[in-house]
């Protein structure tokens, strides 16, 4: 074999060795990439599982929906959520009954509790014919989408629906014009006194029982502040409370949006808190 042949043979062996080394490197690199990918997926799965467990634990730690008689043919429902800065908060709503039919004033604070309330109404033998939400916040409207899906009539003011639309949240399927609307065959009267806790807050009057559902416009007697005011109309709140007092002088029972029920002293207390809040806001 000549010199050229020897060189060619040596070059061939070197090329084969280099090719083998490169293939080995590719296999090692692929294995590393696969291991890293598997580890990443495992970590993501663990993270997702942890988040789900935390969310589930948080939901499980909330008290369940509470329903109790308030007056003849009127029930108080309470649902709960944890609110940053306020801790565990209860939200009040009503179920009003007439001749075997039922109407919800403010949905519970979640779809789960809304479904539970509807189940309770069904078990009691009542036919649910509708709901009204007294403003756009979730403690009043969280169940609207679920009720819509069950083909149940949902009512809210046009202003509330406008705010829900801007927030990309489910809309009530029966909007009504302000300042007043008769609902549930005249058994309920929704009234808009002006801004307060929110620019769209309503109160609901039950003429047969002289009960006023004040919603979040009205504060409970043990409240020492106006609560959440991030979307409040502080300048209007005192006047709105005065309008409610003047419109319903015969009120016997007042239900605030949060906290214990009481008599018209809740309206007077709210008026005083609102006047203080309005003065503090104007002084800033």
């Amino acid at each position: 074999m000549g010199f050229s042949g020897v060189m060619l043979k040596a070059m061939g062996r070197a090329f084969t060795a280099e090719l083998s080394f490169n293939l080995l490197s590719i296999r090692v690199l692929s294995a590393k990439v696969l291991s890293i990918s598997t580890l990443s997926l495992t970590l993501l799965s663990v993270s997702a599982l942890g988040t789900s467990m935390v969310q589930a634990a948080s939901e499980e730690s909330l008290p369940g929906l509470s329903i109790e008689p308030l007056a003849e043919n009127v029930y108080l429902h309470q649902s709960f959520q944890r609110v940053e800065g306020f801790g565990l908060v209860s939200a009040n709503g009503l179920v009003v009954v007439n001749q075997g039919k039922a109407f919800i004033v403010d949905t519970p604070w979640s779809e789960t509790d809304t479904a539970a309330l509807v189940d309770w109404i069904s078990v009691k033998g009542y036919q649910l014919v509708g709901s009204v939400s007294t403003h756009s916040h979730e403690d009043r409207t969280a169940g609207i989408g679920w009720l819509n899906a069950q083909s149940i009539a949902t009512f809210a003011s046009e202003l509330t629906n406008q705010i829900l639309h801007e927030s990309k949240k489910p809309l009530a399927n029966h909007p009504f014009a302000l300042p007043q609307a008769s609902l549930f065959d005249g058994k309920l009267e929704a009234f808009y006194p002006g801004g307060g806790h929110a620019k769209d807050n309503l109160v609901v009057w039950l003429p047969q029982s002289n009960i006023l559902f004040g919603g979040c416009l009205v504060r409970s007697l043990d409240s020492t502040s106006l609560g959440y005011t991030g979307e409040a109309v502080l300048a209007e709140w005192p006047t709105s409370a005065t309008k409610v007092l003047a419109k319903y002088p015969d009120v016997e029972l007042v239900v605030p949006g949060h906290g214990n029920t009481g008599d018209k002293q809740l309206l007077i207390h709210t008026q005083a808190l609102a006047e203080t809040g309005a003065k503090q806001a104007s002084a800033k």
Side-chain angles (χ1 to χ4, degrees):
M1 181 182 299
F3 177 76
S4 297
V6 172
M7 288 296 295
L8 287 172
K9 189 172 183 179
M11 289 173 65
R13 284 198 298 270
F15 176 76
T16 301
E18 183 177 354
L19 180 61
S20 298
F21 176 78
N22 288 338
L23 289 172
L24 177 62
S25 298
I26 290 171
R27 284 196 294 270
V28 171
L29 179 60
S30 297
K32 287 182 178 179
V33 170
L34 181 59
S35 298
I36 291 172
S37 298
T38 303
L39 177 61
S40 298
L41 287 172
T42 301
L43 290 174
L44 285 172
S45 298
V46 170
S47 176
L49 178 61
T51 300
S52 298
M53 290 176 67
V54 168
Q55 291 174 342
S58 176
E59 291 177 0
E60 289 174 0
S61 67
L62 292 173
L65 180 72
S66 168
I67 308 167
E68 59 185 45
L70 190 62
E72 185 178 1
N73 293 324
V74 182
Y75 297 86
L76 176 73
H77 70 75
Q78 288 186 309
S79 51
F80 302 83
Q81 288 292 344
R82 297 192 185 279
V83 180
E84 186 176 352
F86 295 93
L88 182 66
V89 178
S90 64
N92 297 329
L94 300 180
V95 176
V96 182
V97 176
N98 182 61
Q99 296 181 350
K101 296 180 180 179
F103 201 97
I104 295 171
V105 179
D106 281 340
T107 77
W109 213 333
S110 69
E111 289 193 344
T112 299
D113 281 341
T114 299
L117 181 60
V118 172
D119 285 345
W120 177 87
I121 290 170
S122 178
V123 168
K124 295 287 285 186
Y126 304 134
Q127 177 192 359
L128 178 61
V129 296
S131 77
V132 61
S133 293
T134 56
H135 67 277
S136 66
H137 294 166
E138 285 199 359
D139 56 340
R140 313 289 131 193
T141 62
I144 285 180
W146 190 90
L147 292 173
N148 287 344
Q150 314 307 311
S151 299
I152 295 168
T154 52
F155 294 80
S157 73
E158 292 173 345
L159 179 55
T160 292
N161 254 13
Q162 176 187 330
I163 297 169
L164 291 172
H165 175 71
E166 291 169 355
S167 303
K168 296 180 169 49
K169 294 179 179 178
L171 308 183
N173 51 37
H174 288 72
F176 54 82
L178 298 174
Q180 194 164 306
S182 178
L183 304 168
F184 197 30
D185 297 325
K187 302 301 182 292
L188 302 174
E189 176 186 290
F191 172 63
Y192 176 65
H197 167 77
K199 66 180 181 180
D200 59 325
N201 48 207
L202 307 174
V203 299
V204 178
W205 174 243
L206 283 63
Q208 288 187 321
S209 51
N210 286 351
I211 293 175
L212 178 72
F213 182 80
C216 294
L217 176 77
V218 177
R219 302 293 291 162
S220 64
L221 278 180
D222 59 358
S223 297
T224 57
S225 74
L226 292 172
Y228 172 68
T229 57
E231 298 165 62
V233 188
L234 293 174
E236 295 181 18
W237 203 331
T239 302
S240 297
T242 301
K243 286 182 181 179
V244 173
L245 265 167
K247 188 171 180 62
Y248 304 110
D250 298 327
V251 62
E252 296 176 5
L253 181 64
V254 179
V255 182
H258 306 276
N260 294 326
T261 63
D263 57 19
K264 69 167 58 177
Q265 288 300 316
L266 271 71
L267 300 176
I268 297 169
H269 177 61
T270 297
Q271 187 180 42
L273 289 175
E275 287 174 352
T276 300
K279 289 177 182 177
Q280 291 174 344
S282 63
K284 290 182 180 179

